[in-house]
Amino acid sequence: MAESYRRSSWKNMLFVAPYLTAFVTLLVFPLLWGMWLSLNKVDLFSGAKFVGLKNYARVLADPVFAQAVKNTALFVAVSVPSLVALGLFLALALNKTTRGSAFLRGLFFSSSILSVTIVTLIWRVVFIPGDGLLAVLFEAMGWTPIGFLSTKGWSLFSVGVATVWWCLGLPMMLFLAALQQIPADLYEAAALDNASKWRVLTRVTLPSIRSTIMMVAVIQIVMQFQLFGQAQLMTNGGPAGSSRPIVMYIYETSFVRWEIGMGAAASEILFAIILVAAMVQYWLSTRKEEA
Amino acid sequence: MSAAIEIQSVTKRYGALTVLDDISLTITPGEFVVFLGPSGCGKSTLLRMIAGLEAVDAGEIHLGGRRIDTLAPGQRGVAMVFQSYALYPHMTVAKNMAFGLENIGLEAAEITRRVTEAARVLEIDHLLDRKPAKLSGGQRQRVAIGRAIVKEPMAFLFDEPLSNLDAALRGRTRLELAQLHQRLGATMIFVTHDQVEAMTLADRIVIMNGRKIEQIGTPMDIYHRPKTRFVAEFVGSPAMSMLPVAAVTAESVEIAGLGRIAAQLPGLSGFDAAGAVLGVRAEDAHVLPADQSGLPFTISVVERLGDRTLLYGRLGTVCDLVVEDTGRSTAVAGQTVSVGFNPAALHLFDAAGRACDGLGG
Ligand SMILES: Nc1ncnc2c1ncn2[C@@H]1O[C@H](COP(=O)(O)OP(=O)(O)O)[C@@H](O)[C@H]1O
Ligand SMILES: [Mg+2]
């Protein structure tokens, strides 16, 4: 029995082979190749030349990279809590079986299926100076118009608004799924226990979905650190690099200046940042649970 | 702390489906009442209407002289133990019990006193710092009961609280609930579909079926004087056998296709035998010695229980019957014996299923 099981076991590999092939060729191999590239000086003409950690030193010394890191960190620090809070709020408000809330759920989720080009197009219509929605509104109210896409500070903010609108669907759906897992009799027990709405929210609902809150936060940290398309299309990183994220720096270094080794080094640094941020978030929330 | 519960003409509908139709019931202070009935007959719905978890479509509910069906669940002065226990999974046992008391702003010292006292009584003091996930089914059960006790409610509501326990624990907890009721003297309503729980715990049993209350009475009333054919067949194990009736007099009943048997049915007049049946419990039917004549009974299964023997078979070719014999019975399957009945313990039901004699009335 054990013998025949062992002999047949290599065949079991066949079941995972399709996925494993894709995983290795599309993820593991590029990851390792990227690491190797980051240790070489690579350009279009001369091929690779091993330079050790020199690329890392150059990236870390680059003030443009420092600015991109700062922009991205700020962006993540604001957009992720916004996404979690808004997603949670919408999920709590729409966790009903009425037709109206089903429609609104669909509506709020629908933005998620749009491509980044469409999303930025929509938000450019809102933010663009002159004929944009906000510009018209400001004019009608007699306020001084703001160049949302071309003013330092406002440009990153505008990218953030578009991003939150675009990405809100997934957190909301995950929270809704979690809310629906909470047994109804807990709420009945709480009603018999005279719990106020606030106490029900903080003592029953939120503790029941804390692992989902945690998961949504980690997913969003990982996703928002990779901000690129919206910034590229809405502000092109401007003005003066004030809305340039790390991925845009990587793109420009690798494919505009063709310093592929340096771009790879910046990628590895981004990889490390995301890993650390996600781990810290995970550690923080599990530690609280133990206590 | 115990109070009377008065249910007046209560009706419940889910859309076009009427689940409870014009139910009225009075429960005296300190009484232990069991709602018994088959699954889906509306026992839980009635209990949840008392608790305030379901709206009342018509009628009123009063507790201790106060109308409660318009109040929020927490305002009614009742505590409920759920079938699934419904413990808050993220709170410790102590927090679970204290939650309801904190919500009404009871002072901390009093909360601690009540929780400690209830934990001591229920022997869960050593579990107070644990979360529900780290408890066994029986321990969770106790915590759920503890959470009800600390509220010192005017009435306790239990919705099949024993059905998630294994058989041994169920028996023990049943006993403890009876003791708890004696000690607290509180009004308790207990919902179950298990007749053993109902018979052993209840002061009075409310038998429910098909939107209606079939009968309200003490366990012995229900068992010995069932008012309807449904009650007669639902309560008692093995179930009461039903024999078709051809004609009836005050002293005898003619079983269709078999012959007359003696019966004591005083005060019976103008009875319409069409569609009527005669109910016989196994213990009221017996195998006759070879020299006495009775109705022919062909045994198909012999169930030996040690102290008694149950014989399952057919009476002539007419109907099924269960007969109780002594533990030393020599009956074997396939044998045909003659059986007799205790004339004082027969239950006559008319075509509509109503009991129609001095006994069942
Ligand atoms: N929320 C509901 N919507 C529609 N029908 C319901 C609902 N709750 C219960 N019912 C119906 O009401 C009847 C009584 O249910 P319930 O009180 O739970 O029965 P019991 O506790 O006696 O088994 C059942 O037929 C059930 O299908
Ligand atoms: Mg039920």
Side-chain angles (χ1 to χ4, degrees):
Chain A
M1 171 77 188
E3 181 59 21
S4 70
Y5 170 77
R6 206 174 308 135
R7 251 186 294 133
S8 73
S9 67
W10 70 267
K11 288 183 196 141
N12 299 348
M13 283 296 290
L14 289 177
F15 290 98
V16 288
Y19 176 74
L20 209 61
T21 314
F23 182 73
V24 169
T25 51
L26 298 178
L27 275 163
V28 179
F29 176 65
L31 190 74
L32 296 176
W33 198 24
M35 285 179 186
W36 182 79
L37 273 180
S38 72
L39 302 174
N40 287 269
K41 183 170 169 53
V42 190
D43 59 44
L44 267 191
F45 308 106
S46 55
K49 186 174 136 245
F50 189 80
V51 293
L53 293 175
K54 228 182 214 162
N55 283 329
Y56 287 92
R58 282 181 64 206
V59 168
L60 290 174
D62 187 348
V64 179
F65 182 73
Q67 187 192 27
V69 170
K70 210 187 85 205
N71 291 341
T72 313
L74 181 68
F75 177 81
V76 169
V78 176
S79 67
V80 171
S82 307
L83 279 165
V84 172
L86 278 174
L88 191 57
F89 176 79
L90 284 179
L92 287 170
L94 300 179
N95 187 23
K96 302 187 191 92
T97 47
T98 61
R99 212 173 292 175
S101 56
F103 172 75
L104 287 174
R105 280 199 295 264
L107 191 69
F108 281 111
F109 188 74
S110 63
S111 62
S112 308
I113 62 172
L114 301 177
S115 82
V116 66
T117 358
I118 311 284
V119 172
T120 50
L121 212 63
I122 292 171
W123 283 94
R124 278 182 73 90
V125 171
V126 175
F127 286 128
I128 209 86
D131 303 323
L133 211 60
L134 281 175
V136 171
L137 180 75
F138 272 55
E139 201 170 331
M141 303 300 278
W143 298 332
T144 8
I146 300 174
F148 280 101
L149 302 177
S150 53
T151 312
K152 215 167 160 171
W154 282 113
S155 59
L156 191 60
F157 169 82
S158 305
V159 171
V161 171
T163 304
V164 168
W165 181 82
W166 185 34
C167 298
L168 195 54
L170 182 65
M172 181 190 74
M173 281 302 176
L174 290 172
F175 285 136
L176 273 168
L179 288 176
Q180 275 158 19
Q181 296 297 313
I182 304 175
D185 55 13
L186 283 188
Y187 290 105
E188 295 177 347
L192 281 159
D193 267 345
N194 254 314
S196 63
K197 276 200 169 134
W198 176 249
R199 293 267 289 179
V200 171
L201 177 69
T202 54
R203 299 307 177 90
V204 178
T205 306
L206 293 184
S208 299
I209 60 167
R210 68 173 298 149
S211 60
T212 303
I213 297 177
M214 160 66 221
M215 179 186 73
V216 167
V218 170
I219 290 176
Q220 291 305 326
I221 287 174
V222 170
M223 275 175 45
Q224 300 312 333
F225 260 114
Q226 302 177 50
L227 166 68
F228 175 55
Q230 307 94 294
Q232 163 90 343
L233 294 169
M234 283 176 74
T235 66
N236 199 17
S242 64
S243 63
R244 178 191 287 117
I246 300 178
V247 177
M248 189 185 258
Y249 174 87
I250 295 169
Y251 169 76
E252 286 172 356
T253 311
S254 306
F255 304 115
V256 178
R257 284 157 50 198
W258 290 106
E259 302 224 36
I260 292 172
M262 206 171 143
S267 303
E268 296 306 321
I269 293 172
L270 176 61
F271 177 67
I273 292 175
I274 293 176
L275 200 64
V276 169
M279 295 305 276
V280 165
Q281 167 69 9
Y282 183 77
W283 176 73
L284 274 178
S285 54
T286 48
R287 192 193 52 159
K288 233 191 263 164
E289 201 159 8
E290 309 274 282
Chain B
M1 263 328 264
S2 59
I5 299 176
E6 197 140 349
I7 297 168
Q8 298 168 352
S9 305
V10 158
T11 296
K12 178 70 193 176
R13 292 183 208 93
Y14 288 113
L17 175 76
T18 304
V19 182
L20 294 171
D21 189 11
D22 196 15
I23 301 275
S24 293
L25 172 66
T26 303
I27 298 170
T28 58
E31 198 174 16
F32 198 124
V33 167
V34 173
F35 293 172
L36 176 66
S39 275
C41 71
K43 310 176 296 286
S44 297
T45 304
L46 185 54
L47 194 76
R48 291 163 57 81
M49 283 162 86
I50 299 171
L53 301 174
E54 300 282 354
V56 176
D57 291 324
E60 293 184 6
I61 301 173
H62 295 254
L63 174 65
R66 189 170 61 127
R67 183 171 178 188
I68 58 166
D69 57 283
T70 49
L71 302 176
Q75 308 292 322
R76 299 186 174 201
V78 299
M80 181 157 166
V81 176
F82 292 81
Q83 180 173 0
S84 57
Y85 314 141
L87 301 178
Y88 308 116
H90 306 93
M91 300 182 198
T92 61
V93 167
K95 280 275 168 207
N96 259 283
M97 295 208 274
F99 188 61
L101 304 180
E102 289 168 2
N103 289 334
I104 55 171
L106 205 65
E107 59 183 270
E110 173 66 7
I111 294 177
T112 315
R113 189 191 67 74
R114 287 197 197 175
V115 169
T116 326
E117 171 65 13
R120 191 186 58 75
V121 169
L122 294 165
E123 294 166 23
I124 49 172
D125 352 34
H126 59 295
L127 306 173
L128 283 176
D129 293 327
R130 286 204 210 162
K131 297 253 177 84
K134 302 233 166 81
L135 302 179
S136 71
Q139 290 169 332
R140 280 178 216 181
Q141 227 293 337
R142 281 155 187 276
V143 176
I145 293 175
R147 190 168 67 177
I149 291 178
V150 293
K151 281 196 246 179
E152 299 182 352
M154 287 191 277
F156 286 84
L157 310 175
F158 298 93
D159 191 357
E160 310 215 11
L162 307 184
S163 58
N164 287 340
L165 302 180
D166 62 58
L169 199 54
R170 201 180 311 158
R172 217 182 80 200
T173 314
R174 206 169 67 208
L175 209 67
E176 287 173 353
L177 271 178
Q179 289 168 347
L180 186 75
H181 176 241
Q182 277 174 10
R183 194 173 51 239
L184 297 177
T187 311
M188 293 189 176
I189 303 181
F190 186 103
V191 163
T192 183
H193 62 264
D194 181 322
Q195 49 167 305
V196 178
E197 285 173 18
M199 297 293 281
T200 52
L201 283 170
D203 293 327
R204 278 196 305 160
I205 297 177
V206 176
I207 305 257
M208 299 175 60
N209 184 44
R211 311 185 296 197
K212 289 281 193 195
I213 292 179
E214 291 270 336
Q215 185 173 356
I216 305 174
T218 64
M220 286 304 111
D221 252 352
I222 299 276
Y223 189 81
H224 292 298
R225 283 180 289 280
K227 275 190 183 152
T228 65
R229 183 175 171 176
F230 172 83
V231 174
E233 285 180 302
F234 189 73
V235 176
S237 175
M240 189 183 279
S241 308
M242 292 295 165
L243 284 44
V245 169
V248 186
T249 68
E251 292 85 36
S252 71
V253 175
E254 182 174 348
I255 307 297
L258 282 171
R260 289 196 165 270
I261 59 171
Q264 293 168 11
L265 303 165
L268 192 80
S269 65
F271 181 76
D272 179 10
V277 291
L278 187 71
V280 183
R281 290 206 188 278
E283 66 260 34
D284 299 321
H286 46 269
V287 177
L288 295 170
D291 57 336
Q292 287 182 30
S293 70
L295 299 183
F297 175 62
T298 309
I299 303 168
S300 56
V301 175
V302 178
E303 226 176 53
R304 295 183 193 283
L305 301 172
D307 59 332
R308 61 203 173 113
T309 304
L310 294 174
L311 311 175
Y312 294 81
R314 277 186 86 72
L315 196 59
T317 54
V318 175
C319 62
D320 291 330
L321 178 70
V322 189
V323 175
E324 187 178 310
D325 203 0
T326 64
R328 304 190 195 289
S329 170
T330 54
V332 290
Q335 195 180 8
T336 299
V337 295
S338 68
V339 293
F341 305 94
N342 175 1
L346 301 175
H347 305 271
L348 185 62
F349 300 100
D350 67 13
R354 277 189 299 272
C356 292
D357 54 277
L359 289 168

